[in-house]
Amino acid sequence: MRLIRTKDYDEMSRRAAGLIAAQVIMKPTSVLGLATGSSPVGTYQNLIEWCHSGDVSFRNVKTVNLDEYVGLDAEHEQSYAKFMHVNLFDHIDIDPANTNIPDGMASQTEEECARYDALIQSLGGIDLQLLGLGPNGHIGFNEPEEIFEKGTHRVSLTQATIQANKRFFENEAAVPRYALTMGIRDIMQARRVVMVVSGAGKAEILKQAFFGPVTPSVPASILQFHPDFTLVADEEALKCL
Ligand code: GLP
């Protein structure tokens, strides 16, 4: 694990964006695994700026997103599909046909999960996967479990996640109870993984995930075994170390 310690969220975002831009410049046909949440928003803002200034182009990039809520269509304000358009895709030169997100409206979820795993394989796997860290140690929507789930699957969101994400919805009852998420195998097979973590609220779980035992009860801890994992975290998030 490589640790990049930054002063604050802005520096974290710039450093993470630098890693992604370098990946795309070195391999313009990169497959990027993308994440939602407040943590990567600043990273995306830097990429948008550098795309506008002509320093990086996403014309030949393909993307696969980690997860989506079950029951929200792509136009729903809080769907992850919408999030990606608003926060990144609509502002860069990517071909929308090259962007992929699990379909939260699929009637046959098992088939949708199998399709998504096959899609990742058909793209040749993920070159760089960007991640945030859930307050309970989840990555994507891989919630604390007794085992590490391997492929894309449907999850019941934990009460902790519903609580954490209700800020984006009208009320708690409006938060979807299920999601589709890439599995731990999909994430671990990415050739490079970059995680962004910011703020004191993540300090305790960051310590448990990366300086404690590897266990499915803290899903992010598996990244300790990844051969090319970079954690980009600010001082507040690192304050328990
Ligand atoms: C959601 C997403 C995760 C994300 C997490 C943390 O539950 N499924 O991919 O990492 O939230 O979000 P934030 O960055 O807002 O703390």
Side-chain angles (χ1 to χ4, degrees):
M1 177 175 106
R2 198 175 309 123
L3 173 62
I4 298 181
R5 180 185 288 264
T6 70
K7 176 167 99 275
D8 54 19
Y9 180 87
D10 287 348
E11 190 189 350
M12 174 198 79
S13 302
R14 216 164 44 244
R15 296 296 298 271
L19 296 175
I20 297 169
Q23 168 69 40
V24 172
I25 290 165
M26 293 300 287
K27 183 180 175 189
T29 58
S30 288
V31 176
L32 298 180
L34 298 179
T36 56
S38 43
S39 308
V41 169
T43 304
Y44 295 150
Q45 280 166 358
N46 280 281
L47 293 176
I48 291 167
E49 266 175 44
W50 299 339
C51 184
H52 287 176
S53 60
D55 292 311
V56 62
S57 169
F58 296 87
R59 208 166 304 127
N60 297 310
V61 164
K62 295 197 167 76
T63 67
V64 281
N65 258 79
L66 281 168
D67 48 11
E68 181 58 283
Y69 288 114
V70 167
L72 300 194
D73 65 54
E75 284 308 311
H76 189 286
E77 278 304 307
Q78 295 307 332
S79 74
Y80 285 168
K82 187 78 173 177
F83 175 100
M84 289 310 301
H85 278 277
V86 170
N87 288 290
L88 184 65
F89 298 153
D90 291 352
H91 312 288
I92 58 174
D93 60 351
I94 197 161
D95 178 351
N98 286 339
T99 66
N100 299 281
I101 300 181
D103 178 5
M105 295 301 284
S107 54
Q108 306 293 324
T109 48
E110 273 183 28
E111 271 140 51
E112 173 58 9
C113 293
R115 180 195 72 83
Y116 207 68
D117 281 340
L119 168 79
I120 296 169
Q121 292 306 315
S122 74
L123 296 176
I126 298 166
D127 289 301
L128 185 153
Q129 176 67 55
L130 178 64
L131 295 175
L133 178 64
N136 59 0
H138 73 223
I139 45 178
F141 266 134
N142 289 274
E143 296 279 42
E145 300 272 5
E146 283 171 14
I147 54 158
F148 289 111
E149 287 277 354
K150 299 187 189 75
T152 301
H153 60 287
R154 175 183 147 116
V155 282
S156 293
L157 301 180
T158 59
Q159 199 48 40
T161 297
I162 292 168
Q163 286 299 324
N165 289 0
K166 75 174 183 198
R167 64 200 151 119
F168 300 113
F169 293 83
E170 245 170 61
N171 51 44
E172 193 188 316
V175 185
R177 269 31 188 181
Y178 300 96
L180 302 183
T181 182
M182 270 186 210
I184 295 296
R185 180 194 59 220
D186 300 315
I187 296 169
M188 287 298 281
Q189 283 182 345
R191 288 180 270 283
R192 299 172 68 194
V193 177
V194 174
M195 177 182 275
V196 280
V197 190
S198 170
K202 298 279 176 73
E204 186 50 47
I205 193 67
L206 182 150
K207 182 180 170 197
Q208 276 182 47
F210 304 118
F211 298 88
V214 174
T215 162
S217 62
V218 184
S221 64
I222 190 85
L223 293 165
Q224 292 182 39
F225 291 149
H226 194 283
D228 191 343
F229 170 50
T230 305
L231 174 63
V232 190
D234 65 14
E235 273 169 20
E236 286 280 286
L238 295 168
K239 72 174 191 177
C240 290
L241 300 186

